[in-house]
Amino acid sequence: MSAGRPGPDRINPPELSPATGFSHAVAATGGRLVFLAGQTALDGSGKVVGQTLPEQFERALANLLTALAAAGGAPSDLARVTVYAVDVEDYRAHAAELGRVWRRLAGRDYPAMAVVGVVRLWDTEAMLELDGIAVLP
């Protein structure tokens, strides 16, 4: 939970594998739920930008956080994020770099997360999409 601020409570039982870059469970009471639509690496004109998965991840995460901020939230309010990846092996290969991008943009308050492999996304140039749920105080 954020210092001095109500919000999601991250739960990582010691009986489960170490939670690296995610939380096993996130509990929240009260507050305002914000459902964040899937975000890809679209720029302001609607064009997919970034030639590599890390570049697209950074833009998609920035877009997700921009939508969250517009709703009055902060990265620490994220309770759940799902990543839809066209190439899960490529995602795994870049996991350390993606983790650094996450920490730089969103900090170390990790939501419950899942990575799901998909055949394709709406924009064929998109390599991944992120959506989420946030709980605002």
Side-chain angles (χ1 to χ4, degrees), residues 55-114:
E55 290 170 344
Q56 287 200 12
F57 179 83
E58 183 167 351
R59 183 57 184 243
L61 178 57
N63 289 347
L64 189 78
L65 296 175
T66 296
L68 176 57
S76 61
D77 296 320
L78 286 168
R80 172 91 180 149
V81 170
T82 303
V83 178
Y84 304 92
V86 173
D87 185 341
V88 174
E89 287 306 313
D90 193 27
Y91 188 92
R92 287 179 62 108
H94 288 96
E97 186 175 355
L98 301 177
R100 287 190 294 274
V101 169
W102 180 279
R103 288 186 297 278
R104 183 167 41 82
L105 296 181
R108 292 185 176 272
D109 290 323
Y110 298 110
M113 294 182 75

Side-chain angles (χ1 to χ4, degrees), residues 39-50 59-60 62-64 66 123:
Q39 298 292 327
T40 60
L42 292 177
D43 65 11
S45 69
K47 179 182 179 225
V48 174
V49 295
R59 183 57 184 243
N63 289 347
L64 189 78
T66 296
D123 293 302

